[in-house]
Amino acid sequence: MTSIDRTAYPGFARMVSARELTANFTPAADEVAWARAMTKTDQHLLALMVWLKCYRHLRYFPSLDEVPDPVVVHIRGLLGLPENVVTEVDASRTAKRHREFVRARLGVKYDSAEVREIAEAAIRVAAQSKGSG
């Protein structure tokens, strides 16, 4: 079976290097200002910033518990937050709102019906090509 690292499906590297942390997960000053304006608590600030940086890197929203500790520690440190601040959202409504904030900031359109249609078409093409090989 092919390793997930060798597929087109993006994911986190097993080991996140300092170079990768700096290149992909360091928030810019305007991103920090935006996230602070969108949140009221340190916990929500950290979660929103983690999702922003992860979405930019992966092009999808990982579950917050899937984000490697070095990424969270890096972002938390740059935000100047205490170590006891964790990446949790207290309600699914908050998580949904945070994802909407990130999409709006990045100019990403989300249409679940359209996404399902595209995925279904891609699966059909892949199934046909796999069957003919």
Side-chain angles (χ1 to χ4, degrees):
M1 178 176 216
T2 303
S3 166
I4 192 73
D5 298 341
R6 301 180 66 89
T7 67
Y9 186 72
F12 292 105
R14 289 186 184 152
M15 299 295 288
V16 183
S17 69
R19 181 179 175 180
E20 185 178 8
L21 287 172
T22 301
N24 297 317
F25 300 103
T26 298
D30 67 314
E31 292 173 331
V32 174
W34 166 80
R36 286 189 189 282
M38 303 305 277
T39 57
K40 294 179 182 171
T41 68
D42 287 347
Q43 181 178 318
H44 288 174
L45 171 64
L46 180 58
L48 180 59
M49 186 57 64
V50 166
W51 266 330
L52 174 67
K53 299 314 288 184
C54 288
Y55 190 87
R56 281 189 181 230
H57 180 63
L58 301 172
R59 306 308 294 161
Y60 69 91
F61 293 103
S63 170
L64 289 172
D65 61 354
E66 293 174 5
V67 179
D69 287 340
V71 171
V72 175
V73 169
H74 176 75
I75 293 172
R76 182 191 305 122
L78 292 172
L79 292 172
L81 300 175
E83 288 183 24
N84 65 341
V85 176
V86 295
T87 54
E88 291 181 349
V89 289
D90 47 14
S92 62
R93 209 172 59 211
T94 302
K96 182 179 180 180
R97 196 170 65 248
H98 283 186
R99 290 188 298 268
E100 289 171 357
F101 291 162
V102 170
R103 286 186 191 105
R105 176 158 178 90
L106 300 178
V108 174
K109 178 184 149 200
Y110 179 68
D111 181 347
S112 59
E114 183 178 353
V115 168
R116 279 191 293 276
E117 287 176 24
I118 292 168
E120 183 179 327
I123 289 167
R124 289 183 192 285
V125 168
Q128 288 174 350
S129 65
K130 185 170 181 119
S132 64

